[in-house]
Amino acid sequence: MLSRKLSTVLSRISAITAVLMLLLNGWSDRVEAADIQAFVGARLMPVSGPVIENGTLVVRNGKIEQIGATDQVVLPPGTEVVNAEGKTIIPGLICTHSHIGWGGGGDSSEPIQPECWTRDSVDVRSASFMRARAGGLTLVNQMPGSGHLISGRTTYLKLREGNTVDDLLVLDDTGWPMGGLKMANGTNSQRSAPFPGTRAKSASLVRQAYVKAQEYRNKIAKAEGDAEKMPERDLRMEALVEALEGKRIVHHHTHRHDDILTVLRLRDEFGFEVVLHHVSDAWKVADEIAAAGADCSIIVVDSPGGKLEARDIRLENGAVLEKAGVNVAFHTDDWITDSRLFLRSAALGVRAGMTSEGALRALTLSGAEMLGLEDQTGSLDVGKDADFAILSGDPFSIYTQILETWVEGAQVFDRSNPDHLLYAVGGRGAGDDSAYHCCGEEGGH
Amino acid sequence: MLRNMMIPGVTLVLLFMISMTSVTGGLNESQQAENTIAIYGDKIYTMAKSEDGSWSGVIKDGVVLIKDGKVVQVGLAGDIEIPEGSIIKKAAVVTPGLIDARSVVGLAGWLNIDHDSDHIERSSPIQPELEALDAYNTREPLIDWVRSFGVTTLHTGHAPGQLISGQTFIVKTRGNTVDDAVVKRKAMVACTLGSDALRSGKESPGTRSKQMAMLRQEFIKAQAHMDKQEKAEGDEEKEPPARNLRMEALISILKKEMPLMISAHAAVDIQNVLRLQKELDISVVLQGGAECYDFVEPLKKQGIPVIIHPTMMRSSGVGKNASMETSAKLIAAGVQIAMGSGYESYVPKTRVVLWEAAIACAYGCSFEDALGMITLSAAELLGVDDRIGSIEVGKDGDVALYDGDPFEYTTHCVGTVIEGQVVSEAVR
């Protein structure tokens, strides 16, 4: 439903970029790395299957080619062998709700602005991107804020080394950058007019917007391709129509128990696909959420409150939802919590009763599912992107260090590199936006 | 008949009285036993120091005996006789009750609305006369929250955010009224340098230079006030100056009765802290200190203790260059240090010092140095180590209980005891 013209132009640009990148990659590959790498002797936690105590992970051209017990994996000729004995390898962490790079959406003019897009505002050179890589993250859903009912389109970003935001995009089959739609209810999106002042007004404004989008979609359907009969292009409507058609998952900020149910009601009225985000009161309505089959992306914060809606937030949310049968992911909401300590969020979930298996899934595969990218990433499976983190020990021990992060077979964080360590630990210069992506004689990381 | 009846009657009464006495006696005994609590630990970190100043180590299979609120014995379980009727608690690990060396809990409420936000007064940038005691809400839910993670003492009060925002005090995390809970009514005066205390528009201070100029001017006024007071003391013909609470608070800093606790993070502001301490010759405590790793030597040389920022301080704004290894660096250099949860304006409304020290431990501090920052070292820095901070005979019976390594993500705090009373049994 996006303009075919615009789509065509963009996909052409993407195609050209892709060819250029292939050329460049091909070039550097020949200089830097073998095509095939095997991480041998590690404790592999694939998430999609049982832990392999002494395992080998084979990566070729950015994809996982083999995974199994070390004595059963046959290494192809020319494989570069990396000794990973004593280390633990987990899928790259996926943050379903992040503000790294500070990408904003709508402005203060009105409450519904789905035409805005974080792709146009995120700064991928921000130090927060390096911190995220240091935290083992390989994929984020870069979100606009929650100060609007609909604040804009989100952008799914692979944390590849990149010079521009385009280098980090996740493209769909047509070459179009993938992302969701950010919505919010409750008090964050309530302000003076033209913003809503009450919850009922919030819901009614959203309803009205989607009704309008349905009509827009119907007009397009009726036009049957006749350019004369097509409605005028409307970016706002186009984003909402994508949500109505399931092409854009709604990522919905919501805290209070009744607000959560309002989201589910609107979902049922209009048929969009939704992930509930934050969900402070989830423990009060876990059965209702389970019955509705809705996924929850939750946050872990160190104390309740700070805002009225988070008054009753509990560390037990993950455990309660898991027990109720809800698909749960964690998120950082970075800068609310620090991407470098994303493992900690899930570990505190375990502390409050979640299973370790469920908690690790909630950092990886469940997140991929909530972004519609589970066929591509989220677990250590043959054919998936080689997105993983190498740890010094158990993922949920405070004493474990994240040693390396790999995205699509390329190392993007290496704790033994002092330039990278600075971002992992902090210190003078750690807050400066990315010298790291600089080029030149001393660049080429 | 009557007389005959009387005798057994009197006997019954007498018997009853005797039995009452013995029952009462029994009650007294058991009450005494109820005032006694024995806490067994597979490991007890007393956080006492050896004569050479090193940590005295861990007691394996130990017990702490607390009577009437004070520690009366601590040692190997086999060596200590536990009075019959004592309350018995057991845990894998026992530590002293934790101390949050810089908090705003009790003044900055969890709801974060006007109703429960008493941590900052914006009517004037310099108000050292404000007492924390007058604003502390003993029923604040965040007190219960941190207490369930072993915190038994808070150094809390007015928040960073004004040049001088008010006083702080030291309080136990229990009590029906603030008077029940207070340990030290006047602890420090809270000052903030740098962008956190700049005011906008035509209000001062709008720059760092103005902040320093205003502080200098205010202390000059206080010095003059003090001089007048002193002159009048020895001379009956001279009238003492009119009492002025603001001046009195500043005079107590000039007299080194209270330290000036300065919140500063950026390098430029920490340099101003160092300069101000020299100029005024006062006791200064640096609080926060995101970039203080560049000033370790001068801090040590000038004897300025540091209440370091929470290890998980956000890497943005004044904390953009914060390091998770700063505590380890300061300790290695011999700078006196404690850890505080600091001030959070949004979510989370308070941090938990147990978790902050834990991350410091994962980033270079030894286990005991990290634990020390929230127990004995904190008590020393706050000047209350005669009463709290370690499990030693004669000190308050404040302890925290855990089901494993207190710093590990997936273990729990399973109990908190203040002066012998179990105040939390939540498993967190």
Side-chain angles (χ1 to χ4, degrees):
Chain A
M1 275 307 107
L2 291 148
S3 133
R4 277 165 215 125
K5 239 183 201 171
L6 184 62
S7 288
T8 315
V9 172
L10 279 167
S11 60
R12 271 184 202 152
I13 292 171
S14 304
I16 293 164
T17 313
V19 168
L20 278 172
M21 281 179 67
L22 269 177
L23 280 173
L24 286 169
N25 281 343
W27 221 354
S28 60
D29 276 355
R30 252 170 275 141
V31 181
E32 285 174 12
D35 285 349
I36 317 169
Q37 279 183 310
F39 298 83
V40 178
R43 180 167 202 257
L44 299 177
M45 304 180 84
V47 172
S48 51
V51 172
I52 305 165
E53 287 303 337
N54 176 359
T56 289
L57 182 73
V58 181
V59 174
R60 187 200 291 251
N61 295 332
K63 300 277 183 190
I64 295 170
E65 190 174 74
Q66 290 187 72
I67 176 169
T70 296
D71 57 8
Q72 286 173 9
V73 170
V74 180
L75 300 183
T79 301
E80 182 198 344
V81 173
V82 179
N83 182 358
E85 280 172 35
K87 294 171 184 170
T88 296
I89 299 181
I90 60 171
L93 307 188
I94 296 172
C95 180
T96 42
H97 190 131
S98 179
H99 300 290
I100 57 170
W102 290 111
D107 62 15
S108 305
S109 59
E110 49 185 323
I112 294 180
Q113 304 184 51
E115 66 275 21
C116 297
W117 192 5
T118 56
R119 181 194 182 182
D120 299 322
S121 55
V122 64
D123 175 12
V124 297
R125 294 165 187 248
S126 156
S128 54
F129 270 78
M130 263 319 287
R131 289 197 293 272
R133 294 182 183 106
L137 276 69
T138 55
L139 170 64
V140 300
N141 177 21
Q142 217 291 343
M143 298 270 262
S146 54
H148 302 74
L149 297 170
I150 306 178
S151 56
R153 307 176 200 201
T154 82
T155 314
Y156 302 159
L157 297 173
K158 273 288 189 81
L159 299 187
R160 305 173 193 113
E161 247 184 55
N163 201 37
T164 70
V165 64
D166 289 4
D167 297 339
L168 275 65
L169 296 172
V170 179
L171 304 178
D172 69 12
D173 295 339
T174 68
W176 188 245
M178 293 181 73
L181 184 67
K182 173 77 180 281
M183 291 181 60
N185 65 4
T187 53
N188 278 26
S189 44
Q190 290 177 26
R191 292 182 241 171
S192 52
F195 284 76
T198 62
R199 289 180 154 82
K201 179 76 174 184
S202 299
S204 87
L205 286 173
V206 167
R207 239 178 227 121
Q208 189 63 58
Y210 276 104
V211 165
K212 221 173 144 189
Q214 284 174 329
E215 288 167 354
Y216 183 81
R217 180 182 59 179
N218 293 343
K219 273 186 198 163
I220 292 171
K222 270 189 195 161
E224 291 179 333
D226 183 345
E228 295 288 308
K229 292 179 184 167
M230 285 284 277
E232 266 185 49
R233 281 197 60 207
D234 184 330
L235 293 176
R236 182 170 296 186
M237 288 298 112
E238 285 176 6
L240 295 182
V241 168
E242 286 187 328
L244 288 173
E245 295 187 339
K247 292 175 183 165
R248 196 170 279 285
I249 295 168
V250 170
H251 295 285
H252 209 302
H253 162 114
T254 184
H255 284 281
R256 216 170 74 175
H257 58 96
D258 46 342
D259 290 331
I260 296 167
L261 298 181
T262 300
V263 175
L264 296 175
R265 190 178 314 118
L266 288 167
R267 176 199 71 166
D268 292 343
E269 286 175 27
F270 294 100
F272 50 73
E273 209 180 314
V274 73
V275 175
L276 304 170
H277 284 251
H278 309 322
V279 228
S280 290
D281 278 0
W283 58 274
K284 297 178 187 170
V285 286
D287 291 340
E288 286 78 2
I289 294 170
D295 290 353
C296 284
S297 169
I298 63 170
I299 187 166
V300 173
V301 290
D302 285 17
S303 62
K307 54 184 273 174
L308 277 172
E309 294 176 324
R311 192 186 69 174
D312 295 341
I313 194 168
R314 289 193 178 180
L315 294 176
E316 288 82 1
N317 265 346
V320 173
L321 288 168
E322 181 185 41
K323 209 173 168 195
V326 176
N327 192 26
V328 184
F330 289 100
H331 64 244
T332 62
D333 202 5
D334 194 329
W335 59 276
I336 294 291
T337 71
D338 189 331
S339 292
R340 292 175 299 178
L341 296 163
F342 194 25
L343 284 170
R344 176 177 182 267
S345 293
L348 293 185
V350 174
R351 183 188 190 113
M354 206 174 180
T355 65
S356 313
E357 297 74 22
L360 189 59
R361 194 183 199 285
L363 289 170
T364 56
L365 190 54
S366 296
E369 288 166 352
M370 292 179 205
L371 305 183
L373 295 172
E374 68 276 17
D375 293 336
Q376 191 174 328
T377 188
S379 58
L380 302 180
D381 284 305
V382 172
K384 281 197 176 184
D385 292 350
D387 299 341
F388 57 91
I390 303 179
L391 314 178
S392 65
D394 185 278
F396 298 138
S397 169
I398 194 169
Y399 304 111
T400 292
Q401 290 177 337
I402 296 159
L403 304 173
E404 296 173 43
T405 307
W406 292 69
V407 176
E408 295 166 7
Q411 190 192 55
V412 297
F413 169 74
D414 176 7
R415 196 180 162 88
S416 69
N417 177 339
D419 291 347
H420 295 197
L421 184 66
L422 176 65
Y423 289 100
V425 170
R428 173 75 50 213
D432 296 338
D433 294 339
S434 202
Y436 176 65
H437 288 292
C438 179
C439 317
E441 286 187 6
E442 298 194 358
H445 292 285
Chain B
M1 266 301 275
L2 206 70
R3 187 175 291 175
N4 282 348
M5 286 288 285
M6 279 296 283
I7 297 163
V10 170
T11 315
L12 270 174
V13 170
L14 279 171
L15 277 172
F16 182 70
M17 283 176 72
I18 291 162
S19 68
M20 272 299 282
T21 314
S22 69
V23 166
T24 316
L27 267 178
N28 278 342
E29 268 172 32
S30 80
Q31 264 175 356
Q32 274 177 6
E34 273 171 23
N35 281 338
T36 309
I37 177 167
I39 298 158
Y40 289 87
D42 300 340
K43 286 182 178 176
I44 298 179
Y45 292 92
T46 64
M47 301 312 286
K49 277 185 175 169
S50 307
E51 277 179 17
D52 64 359
S54 64
W55 299 111
S56 66
V58 58
I59 301 172
K60 286 186 178 159
D61 295 321
V63 67
V64 184
L65 188 65
I66 301 166
K67 190 178 176 189
D68 298 329
K70 297 282 181 189
V71 175
V72 289
Q73 288 195 76
V74 54
L76 293 171
D79 296 347
I80 292 171
E81 198 178 320
I82 305 302
E84 210 173 308
S86 297
I87 296 169
I88 305 290
K89 293 281 165 192
K90 290 179 181 174
V93 176
V94 174
T95 72
L98 307 182
I99 302 168
D100 185 336
R102 184 10 165 177
S103 170
V104 289
V105 164
L107 284 83
W110 70 325
L111 300 179
N112 207 7
I113 56 177
D114 287 349
H115 171 71
D116 70 350
S117 297
D118 277 296
H119 54 284
I120 205 91
E121 164 66 45
R122 299 185 189 279
S123 55
S124 163
I126 299 182
Q127 302 197 57
E129 66 274 24
L130 305 184
E131 284 205 57
L133 185 91
D134 297 323
Y136 184 80
N137 174 15
T138 53
R139 287 169 175 76
E140 163 60 43
L142 290 177
I143 298 173
D144 295 353
W145 179 255
V146 298
R147 193 174 65 187
S148 70
F149 293 98
V151 176
T152 53
T153 305
L154 300 169
H155 172 223
T156 187
H158 292 93
Q162 294 292 340
L163 195 51
I164 294 184
S165 59
Q167 295 172 26
T168 58
F169 81 143
I170 301 170
V171 66
K172 291 281 179 83
T173 53
R174 67 150 191 180
N176 191 40
T177 69
V178 67
D179 300 288
D180 297 339
V182 66
V183 174
K184 190 175 186 180
R185 177 168 166 170
K186 287 171 174 286
M188 298 188 192
V189 171
C191 171
T192 307
L193 289 178
S195 51
D196 286 346
L198 294 177
R199 289 156 78 104
S200 55
K202 289 188 174 173
E203 287 185 69
S204 291
T207 62
R208 289 184 158 86
S209 299
K210 187 73 174 180
Q211 288 179 336
M212 289 293 280
M214 287 170 74
L215 281 177
R216 287 188 184 109
Q217 189 64 59
E218 206 65 18
F219 276 105
I220 287 170
K221 267 194 232 168
Q223 181 69 51
H225 193 87
M226 185 167 74
D227 291 346
K228 274 188 197 165
Q229 278 180 338
E230 283 171 359
K231 275 181 191 161
E233 265 172 33
D235 188 343
E236 280 182 14
E237 288 183 6
K238 280 193 178 146
E239 277 285 311
R243 283 196 63 197
N244 179 324
L245 294 177
R246 184 168 300 178
M247 291 299 112
E248 286 173 15
L250 295 179
I251 287 168
S252 65
I253 293 169
L254 290 171
K255 287 182 172 172
K256 298 188 181 176
E257 292 163 358
M258 268 202 287
L260 186 66
M261 174 175 61
I262 308 180
S263 298
H265 288 289
V268 59
D269 299 312
I270 294 170
Q271 289 169 57
N272 283 344
V273 172
L274 294 166
R275 191 175 313 116
L276 199 69
Q277 191 276 329
K278 274 189 186 168
E279 283 178 17
L280 297 175
D281 185 28
I282 55 175
S283 293
V284 161
V285 172
L286 173 65
Q287 192 270 327
E291 296 181 4
C292 76
Y293 43 69
D294 284 343
F295 303 95
V296 172
E297 279 312 310
L299 285 168
K300 196 181 165 190
K301 200 174 157 196
Q302 288 179 232
I304 297 178
V306 180
I307 301 176
I308 194 69
H309 60 82
T311 323
M312 292 185 274
M313 178 186 192
R314 292 197 172 100
S315 303
S316 57
V318 290
K320 72 174 200 166
N321 289 322
S323 165
M324 296 200 265
E325 290 179 343
T326 304
S327 309
K329 281 180 185 157
L330 293 176
I331 290 168
V335 175
Q336 190 183 10
I337 179 174
M339 182 166 279
S341 58
Y343 168 67
E344 292 290 342
S345 61
Y346 189 47
V347 174
K349 197 64 192 136
T350 186
R351 294 180 177 274
V352 176
V353 282
L354 172 65
W355 287 341
E356 301 297 335
I359 299 288
C361 182
Y363 285 80
C365 282
S366 73
F367 178 86
E368 282 173 310
D369 283 342
L371 187 57
M373 288 196 292
I374 53 172
T375 55
L376 187 65
S377 306
E380 287 171 345
L381 195 154
L382 299 171
V384 287
D385 53 309
D386 58 331
R387 200 176 143 182
I388 57 172
S390 56
I391 302 175
E392 291 181 86
V393 171
K395 282 197 178 185
D396 287 3
D398 298 351
V399 297
L401 289 70
Y402 315 84
D403 60 4
D405 176 352
F407 289 155
E408 192 51 276
Y409 287 141
T410 50
T411 58
H412 307 89
C413 180
V414 296
T416 308
V417 174
I418 297 181
E419 293 167 27
Q421 302 292 314
V422 178
V423 291
S424 171
E425 289 187 286
V427 178
R428 288 229 171 89

